[in-house]
Amino acid sequence: MKVLVTGASGFIGQALCEHLQSSGLFVRAQMRRQPAAAANYECLIGELDDLAFLSTALAGIDVVIHLAGRAHQFGKDASNLDAMMAVNRDLTLRLAAEAEKNQVKRFVFVSSIGVNGVETNAVPIDESSPPNPIKDYALSKYEAEIALSARYIDQSGPMDLVIVRPPLVYAANAPGNFRKLLKLVDKGIPLPFSGVSNQRSMISLNNLTDFIRVCATHPDAGGEVFVVSDGQDFSLPEILQALFEGKSKAPRLFYFPVAIMSTAARLLGKGALMTQLCGSFIINSEKARTVLNWVPPFSPRDELVKSARDFK
């Protein structure tokens, strides 16, 4: 089986290409610039809006795994919804159309659990949960899902569609808020989170790449949407304790009222960050286990410990 991975130079893309290659699949990696180190799979440098490049990239490909997208924008581009839509929705649809023309058999679209919102209450999110995209990034992913589904989910054409919505993905080289936690733990700074009693679903990079491989190859994955996680949820103190263990440091957590922290965060314009750290977000990924018979191959707590141990 021949697989094209878009956005292959990113955090998830690099690990995914290595995992697919080691699993015996032929991997062609689309990148926008030359990789820093040599890879043991085929690398093509080019833009996804270049039809001539796409013709070369898609030649002989059985499965496209689409990771490329516009995310984590800051400054003046942080709320540029049009730019998000142009890349995450419109470019995705053009890529899928070209893939179909080139007789690709399956299109795996890696979306975001943000399609379902930013916080849960007592009821975990699953594939039947109503969409609730809050951020521009999630909205652009959701609109791409709608358009792709209208064309491919219920069609009996030559190319089927798989949609994957991962939550926070963690590893030693993870970006975003997880990297901020790793930095705080690495410095040994006392943290005021011992009183946080939330629950969060996440997925390790190793578990996610394995799940995406299954979505690319399993005959029953076509036409399905999957929310996926490690299958074990942690509170913020439990996450931090595992990270401190990975750094061979005693946990440095102390109590401070969550309500006061939340109020202060909102006043400082950091309410969203506080929700991500201290709010609950729980996923029920039972469908991945029942439909695909997928069990996360890596222990989530071990993966958290390893993330801190390997962090530099």
Side-chain angles (χ1 to χ4, degrees):
M1 179 179 288
K2 296 185 176 181
V3 181
L4 171 67
V5 178
T6 71
S9 60
F11 163 57
I12 297 173
Q14 292 183 58
L16 177 62
C17 289
E18 292 170 5
H19 178 64
L20 296 174
Q21 183 80 9
S22 67
S23 300
L25 302 178
F26 171 88
V27 176
R28 181 177 293 159
Q30 177 270 332
M31 305 174 181
R32 299 180 65 191
R33 56 186 62 87
Q34 196 70 33
N40 62 347
Y41 43 83
E42 182 183 2
C43 297
L44 293 184
I45 313 303
E47 300 287 345
L48 292 177
D49 58 359
D50 182 339
L51 292 181
F53 169 77
L54 273 187
S55 179
T56 299
L58 291 167
I61 291 296
D62 300 300
V63 178
V64 171
I65 301 175
H66 183 42
L67 293 170
R70 184 183 179 97
H72 306 299
Q73 301 298 308
F74 301 96
K76 65 180 181 181
D77 293 327
S79 59
N80 190 339
L81 180 58
D82 290 341
M84 287 278 188
M85 290 294 183
V87 174
N88 297 342
R89 180 193 61 193
D90 301 343
L91 187 59
T92 295
L93 299 180
R94 290 199 296 272
L95 173 62
E98 290 301 312
E100 184 179 25
K101 288 179 185 177
N102 282 269
Q103 300 180 329
V104 170
K105 298 177 180 66
R106 175 167 292 175
F107 191 90
V108 180
F109 178 54
V110 181
S111 183
S112 169
I113 200 62
V115 166
N116 294 107
V118 297
E119 195 169 12
T120 59
N121 296 315
V123 180
I125 283 172
D126 64 16
E127 291 80 5
S128 66
S129 299
N132 183 32
I134 303 297
K135 298 183 178 180
D136 288 352
Y137 174 74
L139 181 60
S140 65
K141 287 286 191 176
Y142 177 53
E143 291 210 1
E145 285 190 22
I146 293 173
L148 287 170
S149 297
R151 177 65 183 85
Y152 302 107
I153 280 282
D154 298 323
Q155 299 283 331
S156 57
M159 187 176 80
D160 61 30
L161 171 69
V162 185
I163 295 173
V164 181
R165 296 177 187 165
L168 183 147
V169 183
Y170 64 92
N173 60 329
N177 289 332
F178 191 77
R179 182 174 182 83
K180 293 175 183 177
L181 287 181
L182 286 172
K183 286 183 175 181
L184 292 173
V185 169
D186 188 50
K187 293 177 180 178
I189 298 172
L191 301 171
F193 299 125
S194 67
V196 177
S197 58
N198 64 341
Q199 289 287 295
R200 295 204 71 87
S201 298
M202 306 183 296
I203 191 166
S204 77
L205 180 61
N206 286 328
N207 281 336
L208 178 60
T209 56
D210 187 73
F211 181 70
I212 294 174
R213 174 189 60 81
V214 172
C215 286
T217 58
H218 198 292
D220 294 336
E224 300 290 347
V225 177
F226 296 99
V227 299
V228 63
S229 74
D230 281 329
Q232 182 177 354
D233 307 322
F234 296 100
S235 67
L236 179 59
E238 289 171 335
I239 294 169
L240 290 168
Q241 287 165 6
L243 298 182
F244 275 112
E245 180 180 330
K247 282 299 179 185
S248 300
K249 296 179 179 180
R252 304 194 68 186
L253 302 176
F254 65 92
Y255 176 80
F256 194 84
V258 175
I260 296 177
M261 285 193 290
S262 297
T263 300
R266 286 195 299 271
L267 292 174
L268 295 171
K270 300 293 184 181
L273 176 61
M274 190 66 185
T275 297
Q276 291 169 0
L277 286 175
C278 300
S280 289
F281 198 94
I282 308 172
I283 294 171
N284 176 4
S285 53
E286 183 62 24
K287 179 180 175 181
R289 291 156 175 78
T290 56
V291 174
L292 304 181
N293 197 30
W294 180 77
V295 177
F298 297 92
S299 158
R301 194 177 191 286
D302 290 348
E303 289 287 271
L304 284 168
V305 172
K306 183 177 184 297
S307 295
R309 185 172 63 242
D310 296 344
F311 175 70
K312 297 178 182 179

